Amino acid sequence: MDEGSPEIVPANSPASDLDQEPETSQSGDGDGDGPPEPLSDKLPVPPGELGLYRAAVALRALLLAGFFRYRVTHPVRDAPWLWLTALACELWLALAWLLAQLAKLSPTNRAAHPGRLASRHGEESLAGVDVLVTAAGAAAGAEPPLATANAVLSALAADYPAGRLACYVSDDGADMLVFEALFEAAAFARRWVPFCRRHGVEPRAPELYFARGVDYLRDRAAPSFVKERRAMKRDYEEFKVRINYLAAKARKVPEDGWVMSDGTPWPGNNPRDHPAMIQVLLGHPGDQDAEGNELPRLFYVSREKKPGFQHHRKAGALNALLRVSALLTNGAYVLNLDYDHCVTNSGALREAMCFLMDPVAGNRTCFVQFPLRIGGDDDGGGGDELASWDSVFFDIDMKCLDGIQGPVYVGSGCFFNRKALYGFDPALAEDDDAHGSWCCFGNGKGRALRRTMSAVPLLDSEDSDEQTGADSARARRRLRSYHAALERHFGHSPAFIASAFAGQGRGGGGGQSDSTVVAASSLLREAIHVVSCAYEERTRWGKDVGWVYGGGVATGFRMHARGWASAYCAPARAAFRTFACPSPSDVLAGASRRAVAAMGVLLSRHCPIWAGAGGRMRLLQRLGYVTRVAYPLASLPLTAYCALPAACLLTGRSIFPDDVSYYDAVLLILLLSSVAATAALEVRWSRVAPRAWWRDQKLWAVAGTSACLAAVFQGVLRACAGVDVGFSASAETATRSASDDEERRPLRWSNLLVPPASLLLGNLAGVVVAVSYGVDHGYRSWGPVLGKLALAGWVVAHLQGFLRGLLARRDRAPTIAVLWSVLFVSVLSLLWVNVDSYSAPPARSASQQPVL
C-alpha cells in the first residue's frame, strides 16, 4: 500500500459531450412528433380514500371545538391547577395536530420510468453522479470501518455507467483506520463490482447480501453462480478479517502517533490540527476491475483542520466534498450518504435521474429524497419486523409534502441538483429553452436583473469590439466587479467558479472537458486550496451556497424558498438501509440529535416562520417546515399530560368534573371515535402496516418525554448561553470530540431515560393505589376512578415497550436511571403528602361542633 504523501490524479472527462444531449431538441421518444413523455408521473391517492380521510379530519376538528367548549365551561373547582394544566396541554397538542394536518391533506405518490430514461438516454449520455460519503473517524469505535466500506462498495456497484459515477469519502477525523479500510475496499471492489453487475445481485452491500438466507434449489441457481458466489463470500470473509485486524490494531495508538510505510508520520495524528489530504484510490489511468472493465472513481478526502476555525461538522465536510468533486469530476447531480447507509437498490440512481433529467420538471427539481430504512433486507415488500422506526414520517408525512412543493431534506439518501446547491434560481417556465436557464445569487434584491443572467456571465458580452474609450473602461470595471462578486459568492478559486458555470444543459456538468483540465500539479494545489480552513471566510458558503450551517432541514428550506421543487421517491425495494439495526441507545441518541437540530433551526435566522419572506415558497409548504422544526416543543405538554394521570390517582383529584352529563359523555365518545377513524383512514391510504404505525406512536411518546424534552432545554441553552450539550451512547463516544468545532459538554444517554421511567413508575404506582382503593371501598368507588385508570392505561400502553426494555437482559437501561426515577417519584409523592397535610382545613374540636 502506497501511504506516501497524498496525491491527485487528474480525473478523466466522463461527460464532456453532455451539452449536446438528445433531449434538448424537445422531441418525443424516437418519432420526433409531440412533446417527450415525462420520465416520472404523479399518482394521486384514490379520491374515495382521500375524501373519507379529509372528512374524518374535519369532523375531528369540529368535535375538538365542542370538546374545548365543554372543558372551558366546566372547570374543576377542587383541583384548579390540575384542570388548568390539563386544559393548556390539550390546547397545545390539539393546535400542533391541526397545524400538522393542514399540510397533510394532499398526499401523492410518484412513479419513475427507468425504461423511458434508457430509451431516451444511452449509457454515455446519462448525467454524472458524485456520491459524497461522510465519516467522522472510526478509532473510537463509534463508526465501524466495516460500515463505511460497505456503504462505499454498495455505491460503486450501483447500476450506473462507471464513467459517470464517482465516490468521495470525507474523513473528518483524519483517521488512518478509515484510510486503510478504504484502501482495502478499493482492492475488493475490483472483484465485487463485476460480480454484482454480471449476476444482478441485490442488495449490493456485501454484508447485507451475504447475510441473506439463499436456497439454491428453490431459486434454481446455476452451478456456475453457486461456485462464484461461494468464492466471493470467501473473499469477503478474508476482507472482513483484514478490516477487523486494522480496527483492533487502531485501538492502541502509538505514543509518537501513526507512521506510514515510508517512515513519515501520518499527517492526521492530531485530528484537531492537520493539513488537507486527498488520495485517489480508484481512478488512476488504466484502473480496471478483474474483468478489464472501467471502474467508478473513489477518492479519500480529509479537509484541513486548524484551531480557531469553525469547521461546521457534517455540513462543512459536505461542502468541502462538493468543491473537491466539482474540480475532479463535476457531476451534475450529487448523492450524499452517511457512513452507515448502504445502497440496497442498485437502480436507485436511475430512478433519481427520472426526476432530475425529466424534460419538463427536471429544471425545477432541486433534490430527490429517498426513505431511509432500518438495516436488513426485503424482497420488495419490506417485512413488518424490519419496518423503519419512523415509517409514519417517511410513508405519510413525506408523501403529503410531496403533494405541495416537495419533501424536506432529511440528511442522507438524497440526490441534489448541483446548481441548486450553488445558490442558482430554478429555470423559469417562460425562459425554458434547449439549454435551460439558470439564475445566480437568489437573494431578495435585484431579481429582475438575475432572471436575465445566462450560464456564461452576460457582462462579458458588453465587451464588444464597438466599445471604445469610456465605454470600454466602464465595461472592464463592471466585469471586474462581477468577478469580485463571484469570488465573494463561491470563494477565491477561478477553477471552481468555472466549474460552477459549466454544463448548463439538463444533465450537463458530467465532467470537465479536456480543454479545461489543468495539469496534475495545478489540480492538486487547487483541490487542496478549496478544502483549506480559510477558504470559506467572507464567502456565502453555508449561507446561500452548499449545505446551510445550523441545521440540515434549512438546506432544503432555502431551495424551496427560491422556488425550487423537490420530489419523493419510494421504490418497492428500499433504496437505502442502515448497515445494522440500531440499539435502543442509538435510537435515543439519534432522536436527540434530530430534535436538537430542529430546535437549532427554530431558534436561528433560518426559522421557517419568518425566513425566506417574500420568496416563492407556498404557504402550506412553509407550514410543513414549521411543524417539522417545532415538533420538540410538543414534548412539554406531552410530558405534563402523561404525568397528570399519576397525579390524579395518587392524590385522589381529577382533571374532569364529577358530574358529566349524557350529552357531554356522547361528545367524548364521538371525539375518541374520530381519533380512531382518522388513524385508521390514514393507515389505509398510506398502506402503512398497523403494527408499524403503533410502533411509531410508542416511539413518539418515549422520544417526546426524553430526547425531545431534553432538546428543548439544549436548544435554549445553546441559543441563549452558548452552551452545547450532547448526549452520547457510550463513554467512548462521550469523550470523543475530535471532529467538533467547539467544546461540548457530553452527557450519558442514560440521563434521557429518567423522565419516561419516572412517568411509567408513577402511573404504575397510581394504578396500584387506585385498584387497592377500589377493592377496599367496594364497587361504588370505582366510578370516579375509571376515567383516571383509562388515562393511566394510555400512558402505560405507550411506554410498555420502554418497560420491556428496562427489564430486558440485552441493551437494558442502566440501573442508575431506574434508581433516579424511583427516587424522583418518591420525593414528589412525599412532597405532595406534606403540602396536602398543611393545606388541608383544620379539623374542628368537639367544643366547636355546631349544636343541633
Side-chain angles (χ1 to χ4, degrees), residues 27 255 313 364 729:
S27 62
E255 295 182 359
R313 300 176 186 173
R364 291 179 290 276

Side-chain angles (χ1 to χ4, degrees), residues 60 117 217 234 264 399 409 602 679 845 850:
R60 182 174 173 180
L117 179 70
L217 295 178
R234 287 193 300 269
T264 59
K399 290 182 179 179
Y409 169 57
L602 184 65
S845 61

Side-chain angles (χ1 to χ4, degrees), residues 781-796:
S781 62
W782 285 95
V785 178
L786 289 180
K788 306 173 190 177
L789 288 176
L791 288 176
W794 179 86
V795 176
V796 173

